[in-house]
Amino acid sequence: MPKVTVDGLEIDVPQGATVLQACELAGKEIPRFCYHERLSIAGNCRMCLVEVAPGPPKPQASCALPAAEGQVIKTDSPMVKKAREGVMEFLLINHPLDCPICDQGGECDLQDQSVAYGRGATRYDENKRAVTEKYMGPIVKTVMTRCIQCTRCVRFAEEVAGVEDIGAIYRGENMQITSYLERAVASELSGNVVDLCPVGALTSKPYAFEARPWELTKTLGIDMMDAVGTNVRIDSRGRQVLRVLPRVNDDVNEEWASDKTRHHVDGLIRRRLDRPYVRKDGALVEASWAKAFEAIKAANAGSSVAAIAGDMADCETMFAAKALVNALGGSLLEGRQTGLDYDVTSLSAVNFNTTIAEAENADVILLVGTNLRWEAPLINTRVRKAVWKKGAKVFGIGPEVDLTYKIEWLGNDASLVAKLPKAALDALKGVARPMLIFGGGALSVPGVHGAALALAKSVNAVKDGWNGFNVVHFSAARMGALMLGYAQPGGIKDIIAAKPKLAFFLGADEVDFSAFADTVKVYVGHHGDKGAHAADVILPAAAWTEKDFTTVNTEGRVQRSEKAVFAPGDAREDWSIFRALADALGVSVGFDSFAECRAAMIAAVPALGVEGLADYGWSEPKLPAKPEAREIPSPIKDFYLTNAICRASPTMQRCSDELIHGAEYAEAAE
């Protein structure tokens, strides 16, 4: 490890570190615009200048200079101070004075660094350059006159998102950052360029002119749009969530978030269920909570009762519903609302065992029946990193899709899992870290699960220090539901066959409700979507931003989310609905508060009480290993409209229209 001296402090730095990283290890703050820890080094903003000896007697860009033995680095010398003032002065020559109307105001790197490192006055009195606005789609708003050409957005699009839709044209003073042919950026991760932009050139179009950062209440949460479990910060004002931003968690989402995670929030205030409803004479009419409970009691269901969890159900909600069903004498519980019925006797056999962070270290990868780019965008970025940085080879079975990296497609025949072509089989056997990823489409074909486990054994994918067998779920509720017992041997078909007199649908909108024609259907949810239209009784509940909850992501990571705002109208938190309903039905669920509900849940499933990866152990259920010779279906039809909140969101509707269905939108001049 090289020894360097930073402002008189001698430190050891890792081999290959840059001077900027060495300065940060020494506790010195180095200003920068183009440098970012997760992107390649560009070295084009020159704000990170420091003085280094031995070397030429001039300031040097610390982000692009390797740290070497014996270097003496000065970060606060008069030369460095004057150089940074000069760089800042040049950056501000053409930058407009938009701060009062710029959405970046209050959280702008350029503002902060001009105060800390600038001159305080300008000597430039010529006309400023202006740049026409660029169209980048429904997510990103552009004011390119503010752009300082740091190229962070260009590098993110190419290196992380894997789409070459953003680039630079022209040279010198005429250089401009633009999208390809000024069309919408075709990426489900495009919103991340807003966070990366150090000025106000790229801002959030749905959030434009909504609020200033100091007006917002910031709450730590876990996203429920997919099963990745993205760590987010919920920014709210009053009773409304205005935006969702990612938090740094290197084990899960690094510091990225999908566009659906960021921008579904305008759906949280639309099509809301804010009071109970009861169906009378074929129509839903408003009712009090007492009347709604009476209608449920009138079903006289006895023990013929079931609960079906939707994709965004949290663990406390599912536990409370289970407690009520059990108290009534029932046992019918299911979380796979679309009809999947794979074996769940071993949770390790339906878990993402490699873990999300370790996926980028795989050597050879086999994808079966999964569109990772839509099912789990931030797992797809890890696989892309394995390909891009480590040269991993990827094979695919299923519908061919563009996952932003090179894949050798073997065909769309489920039987290929049991008889993999020799080239792919040899590639998997010949490496230390083979990784198999099976999606919802693969698990929907009988025999694939057993063949997958047999394949993992034959290529030695599970060994000491490496477990390469992975199932990627799309539903945020899935692993928590399985841990709580929401799984019938035959899936939801078992519940349909049992013909329950009463069924609770916990935000479940994708169920085939025609199969429950003779059942009193109670929808406990927050949006007037498919489930509410089919319901006999609607009990308005809280959305994910409106309650504390526990959730488990696709790798079995237990995480907690906090309440950001209150539910609208008469809507209540789900656990309290089941607690009150228990009284109305004359049974006890064993808890009277949220804390007691969570404690009872943890007592029943201790793993849910410890944040972090749950230890499922590794065990292989004995399953039939002869998949049917048929095509594997695609599990997701439209990335932007996968749940009730997204379908209520104007932003998600427009993303679907434009990016999935090819609709064109004319932008008005500003």
Side-chain angles (χ1 to χ4, degrees):
M1 296 177 70
K3 279 187 184 296
V4 301
T5 303
V6 180
D7 292 342
L9 177 66
E10 188 173 82
I11 60 168
D12 293 322
V13 297
Q15 192 68 42
T18 63
V19 168
L20 186 149
Q21 291 167 325
C23 293
E24 293 197 329
L25 283 173
K28 301 295 181 180
E29 181 181 344
I30 303 297
R32 84 292 295 270
F33 292 113
C34 69
Y35 176 79
H36 191 276
E37 293 82 355
R38 301 187 197 277
L39 304 176
S40 61
I41 294 170
N44 56 6
C45 78
R46 320 311 286 183
M47 194 64 206
C48 63
L49 295 173
V50 296
E51 192 176 344
V52 181
K58 63 177 185 179
Q60 299 189 62
S62 60
C63 70
L65 183 66
E69 181 70 35
Q71 282 178 333
V72 177
I73 305 164
K74 295 180 182 178
T75 68
D76 55 2
S77 67
M79 178 196 291
V80 170
K81 184 175 183 296
K82 186 174 182 181
R84 289 176 181 169
E85 287 179 353
V87 170
M88 180 59 69
E89 195 171 7
F90 274 112
L91 287 174
L92 293 175
I93 277 177
N94 286 310
H95 196 79
L97 296 175
D98 281 350
C99 297
I101 57 144
C102 177
D103 271 317
Q104 202 82 349
E107 48 192 6
C108 173
D109 291 351
L110 190 63
Q111 278 184 335
D112 296 341
Q113 292 184 39
S114 63
V115 169
Y117 304 102
R119 289 185 70 249
T122 180
R123 294 173 288 179
Y124 186 79
D125 57 7
E126 303 297 324
N127 292 329
K128 289 178 178 282
R129 179 186 77 147
V131 180
T132 56
E133 310 310 351
K134 313 299 179 188
Y135 183 67
M136 290 193 179
I139 297 298
V140 182
K141 173 182 169 65
T142 66
V143 186
M144 299 313 290
T145 300
R146 302 171 186 161
C147 179
I148 61 170
Q149 284 94 39
C150 71
T151 69
R152 279 186 180 182
C153 55
V154 178
R155 285 174 284 147
F156 172 83
E158 182 179 353
E159 297 165 15
V160 180
V163 295
E164 297 183 352
D165 284 11
I166 304 176
I169 58 174
Y170 312 133
R171 295 169 63 88
E173 187 187 30
N174 296 319
M175 180 178 170
Q176 298 180 24
I177 304 293
T178 183
S179 57
Y180 180 64
L181 296 181
E182 297 197 25
R183 299 291 297 271
V185 178
S187 172
E188 63 290 339
L189 298 170
S190 64
N192 291 289
V193 300
V194 173
D195 290 349
L196 287 170
C197 184
V199 296
L202 305 177
T203 56
S204 170
K205 187 174 285 186
Y207 175 70
F209 310 123
E210 287 288 337
R212 287 300 195 186
W214 53 83
E215 301 174 336
L216 304 175
T217 300
K218 300 167 178 61
T219 309
L220 306 185
I222 304 297
D223 171 55
M224 296 294 278
M225 293 297 106
D226 58 34
V228 173
T230 301
N231 287 224
V232 297
R233 191 188 82 199
I234 306 163
D235 286 358
S236 58
R237 184 177 60 192
R239 299 187 66 158
Q240 183 177 347
V241 174
L242 292 181
R243 66 177 179 179
V244 168
L245 298 177
R247 288 185 285 133
V248 176
N249 187 327
D250 287 331
D251 292 329
V252 182
N253 57 294
E254 298 182 282
E255 60 185 81
W256 316 126
S258 75
D259 289 349
K260 187 161 58 176
T261 295
R262 288 174 180 274
H263 295 298
H264 72 278
V265 293
D266 54 354
L268 289 168
I269 58 170
R270 291 171 170 85
R271 301 188 195 170
R272 287 303 301 266
L273 300 173
D274 58 359
R275 55 183 60 88
Y277 287 83
V278 174
R279 190 174 296 277
K280 290 184 179 179
D281 301 324
L284 287 167
V285 296
E286 290 183 25
S288 65
W289 280 99
K291 293 290 185 184
F293 287 172
E294 284 177 15
I296 296 170
K297 188 176 181 179
N300 291 318
S303 62
S304 181
V305 59
I308 299 167
D311 288 345
M312 294 184 289
D314 58 274
C315 293
E316 285 83 2
T317 294
M318 290 186 284
F319 176 78
K322 178 182 179 180
L324 179 59
V325 169
N326 291 347
L328 292 169
S331 61
L332 295 173
L333 304 169
E334 183 55 66
R336 298 164 294 180
Q337 57 172 331
T338 54
L340 295 175
D341 60 355
Y342 48 82
D343 183 273
V344 296
T345 54
S346 168
L347 288 184
S348 63
V350 291
N351 186 48
F352 199 90
N353 295 293
T354 303
T355 72
I356 294 171
E358 281 297 308
E360 63 190 54
N361 294 321
D363 299 320
V364 175
I365 303 162
L366 174 66
L367 305 176
V368 182
T370 176
N371 180 352
L372 266 186
R373 193 170 169 185
W374 283 5
E375 288 181 75
L378 297 177
I379 295 179
N380 195 55
T381 62
R382 302 281 190 164
V383 174
R384 174 174 167 77
K385 198 183 290 189
V387 175
W388 190 60
K389 290 191 173 181
K390 299 181 188 270
K393 189 172 179 63
V394 184
F395 297 94
I397 298 174
E400 292 190 21
V401 289
D402 176 16
L403 296 181
T404 74
Y405 42 84
K406 185 179 179 182
I407 300 177
E408 185 176 326
W409 291 99
L410 305 176
N412 187 12
D413 185 345
S415 64
L416 286 169
V417 179
K419 49 182 181 182
L420 211 59
K422 188 174 184 304
L425 194 61
D426 290 346
L428 288 164
K429 285 182 177 178
V431 294
R433 293 184 296 272
M435 186 166 74
L436 315 176
I437 299 179
F438 295 84
L443 294 182
S444 69
V445 180
V448 167
H449 198 185
L453 291 163
L455 177 61
K457 198 168 188 176
S458 70
V459 300
N460 198 24
V462 182
K463 62 190 90 171
D464 286 343
W466 180 261
N467 188 332
F469 182 83
N470 302 290
V471 171
V472 62
H473 298 291
F474 166 73
S475 165
R478 186 58 41 81
M479 289 306 292
L482 297 181
M483 292 171 74
L484 287 164
Y486 274 72
Q488 298 295 313
I492 201 170
K493 292 188 288 291
D494 284 1
I495 294 181
I496 294 170
K499 296 184 177 179
K501 293 181 180 178
L502 176 66
F504 296 102
F505 296 88
L506 316 181
D509 292 289
E510 317 305 326
V511 178
D512 178 9
F513 291 98
S514 64
F516 292 89
D518 299 324
T519 300
V520 174
K521 298 175 284 295
V522 180
Y523 183 76
V524 184
H526 38 77
H527 276 74
D529 204 77
K530 302 172 187 175
H533 287 288
D536 297 305
V537 180
I538 295 174
L539 303 180
W544 71 276
T545 56
E546 297 158 3
K547 55 188 172 183
D548 294 300
F549 65 85
T550 303
T551 185
V552 187
N553 75 351
T554 191
E555 61 178 349
R557 185 178 298 276
V558 179
Q559 301 185 104
R560 299 261 170 86
S561 185
E562 298 176 8
K563 178 177 180 176
V565 293
F566 288 95
D570 289 336
R572 298 289 181 265
E573 293 182 29
D574 308 66
W575 71 269
S576 65
I577 294 174
F578 291 108
R579 171 63 185 84
L581 185 54
D583 280 350
L585 297 177
V587 296
S588 172
V589 289
F591 53 83
D592 295 317
S593 67
F594 177 77
E596 290 179 9
C597 176
R598 178 172 280 179
M601 178 186 74
I602 293 169
V605 186
L608 292 174
V610 183
E611 291 190 77
L613 288 173
D615 184 9
Y616 299 131
W618 173 252
S619 60
E620 301 177 44
K622 293 182 179 178
L623 302 173
K626 290 186 177 179
E628 297 179 7
R630 73 185 201 197
E631 289 189 351
I632 299 174
S634 179
I636 298 178
K637 305 301 181 189
D638 190 326
F639 171 74
Y640 297 100
L641 302 178
T642 52
N643 59 56
I645 302 177
C646 290
R647 289 190 285 268
S649 163
T651 302
M652 292 295 98
Q653 290 279 0
R654 176 162 171 178
C655 285
S656 172
D657 289 347
E658 190 166 351
L659 300 174
I660 305 296
H661 301 292
E664 293 189 2
Y665 282 83
E667 287 288 295
E670 294 187 7

